Amino acid sequence: MSEKTILKLQLPTDPLWVKNVVESNIEEILTDHAFCEQKAASNAITLIVQNPSLSELVQEMALLVQEEMDHFKRVHDIILERGYILGRERKDNYVNELRKFIIVGGGREAQLIDRLLFSAMIEARSCERFKVLSENINDEQLAAFYHELMISEATHYSMFIRLAKKYAEEIDVDARWKQFLEYEAHVIQNYGKGETIHG
Ligand SMILES: [Fe+2]
Ligand SMILES: [Fe+2]
């Protein structure tokens, strides 16, 4: 399966990002990655708090929190194994730019669907970044780790799209997703140069 057909991302990450940026900044990347996992868990908790009556969503998010915090712990284990200490959280400009696309106002349904698609988008791009990392990084342990995480993020992406379709009544999820993809393609053009997972 190619991530292009599965995820429909419009701009692939240049593998040179791994060679030129990641490999000389592993400690930074691992800290940033750990906080990406923490933020994925926090986002799932927020979705529970905002939508307590959507039982299937609550169940899925409860599982997701556990899985993302397990990823966090595993990244943290690698950080410690390598003699590093988790650094401070860095701003994720990519995610902040994506967040601007979430509709303001527009009613409960529109808010929920956008939040789910925003989450799906981050999972999709993270999945793509992990694939590029796993295929290009000159580090056996991290190559295997990122391969495994790539599969898990692809599953999360599909779950968020499925929930969006389940809870949409008026909104055309496919059409809105297409707008998200177009916006993301525009945002990601400025990335692929920094020593963060989405950088
Ligand atoms: Fe994760
Ligand atoms: Fe995830």
Side-chain angles (χ1 to χ4, degrees), residues 26-38 67-87 130 141-142 145-146 149 153 197:
I26 295 288
E27 188 176 355
E28 293 263 358
I29 289 282
L30 288 172
T31 279
D32 181 68
H33 177 191
F35 283 112
C36 287
E37 302 294 354
Q38 173 266 314
E67 203 180 321
E68 302 293 15
M69 284 317 288
D70 177 63
H71 292 170
F72 173 86
K73 168 74 164 60
R74 290 175 63 194
V75 180
H76 193 240
D77 288 342
I78 294 174
I79 288 173
L80 297 184
E81 259 168 53
R82 294 182 180 216
Y84 305 143
I85 291 175
L86 179 66
F130 290 158
Q141 181 193 29
L142 293 182
F145 183 53
Y146 283 119
L149 290 192
E153 306 311 352
I197 292 294

Side-chain angles (χ1 to χ4, degrees), residues 1 20 23 38 65 69 77 86 93 105 123 145 148 160:
M1 66 175 188
N20 294 345
E23 285 182 348
Q38 173 266 314
V65 173
M69 284 317 288
D77 288 342
L86 179 66
N93 294 322
E123 297 286 1
F145 183 53
E148 189 197 325
F160 277 117

Side-chain angles (χ1 to χ4, degrees), residues 8-179:
K8 307 240 177 16
L9 293 174
Q10 299 185 354
L11 278 187
T13 298
D14 185 340
L16 280 177
W17 167 68
V18 180
K19 292 289 152 208
N20 294 345
V21 182
V22 174
E23 285 182 348
S24 44
N25 292 286
I26 295 288
E27 188 176 355
E28 293 263 358
I29 289 282
L30 288 172
T31 279
D32 181 68
H33 177 191
F35 283 112
C36 287
E37 302 294 354
Q38 173 266 314
K39 280 178 265 197
S42 298
N43 183 55
I45 292 172
T46 302
L47 275 159
I48 292 175
V49 173
Q50 291 176 341
N51 303 282
S53 64
L54 304 182
S55 304
E56 187 179 337
L57 177 142
V58 172
Q59 291 288 72
E60 289 284 10
M61 291 305 114
L63 288 174
L64 187 62
V65 173
Q66 293 177 344
E67 203 180 321
E68 302 293 15
M69 284 317 288
D70 177 63
H71 292 170
F72 173 86
K73 168 74 164 60
R74 290 175 63 194
V75 180
H76 193 240
D77 288 342
I78 294 174
I79 288 173
L80 297 184
E81 259 168 53
R82 294 182 180 216
Y84 305 143
I85 291 175
L86 179 66
R88 294 190 72 81
E89 184 196 355
R90 296 176 55 160
K91 262 218 257 169
D92 193 330
N93 294 322
Y94 165 78
V95 169
N96 292 338
E97 277 192 63
L98 271 192
R99 190 176 283 113
K100 290 187 197 149
F101 199 63
I102 296 181
I103 199 160
V104 184
R108 264 191 90 70
E109 183 189 338
Q111 294 272 352
L112 170 65
I113 299 309
D114 267 20
R115 181 107 196 177
L116 292 170
L117 294 183
F118 160 79
S119 308
M121 196 74 249
I122 300 169
E123 297 286 1
R125 182 55 76 180
S126 302
C127 173
E128 193 261 355
R129 283 288 165 99
F130 290 158
K131 183 171 193 285
V132 174
L133 274 170
S134 71
E135 287 172 356
N136 295 283
I137 201 164
N138 188 16
D139 181 311
E140 246 178 66
Q141 181 193 29
L142 293 182
F145 183 53
Y146 283 119
H147 178 79
E148 189 197 325
L149 290 192
M150 167 197 83
I151 295 166
S152 142
E153 306 311 352
T155 313
H156 299 163
Y157 151 80
S158 315
M159 180 262 294
F160 277 117
I161 298 283
R162 185 172 56 72
L163 288 176
K165 290 190 171 164
K166 178 188 165 83
Y167 292 116
E169 285 168 12
E170 313 272 296
I171 293 167
D172 180 340
V173 172
D174 289 328
R176 184 64 180 150
W177 179 242
K178 218 171 147 245
Q179 293 172 348

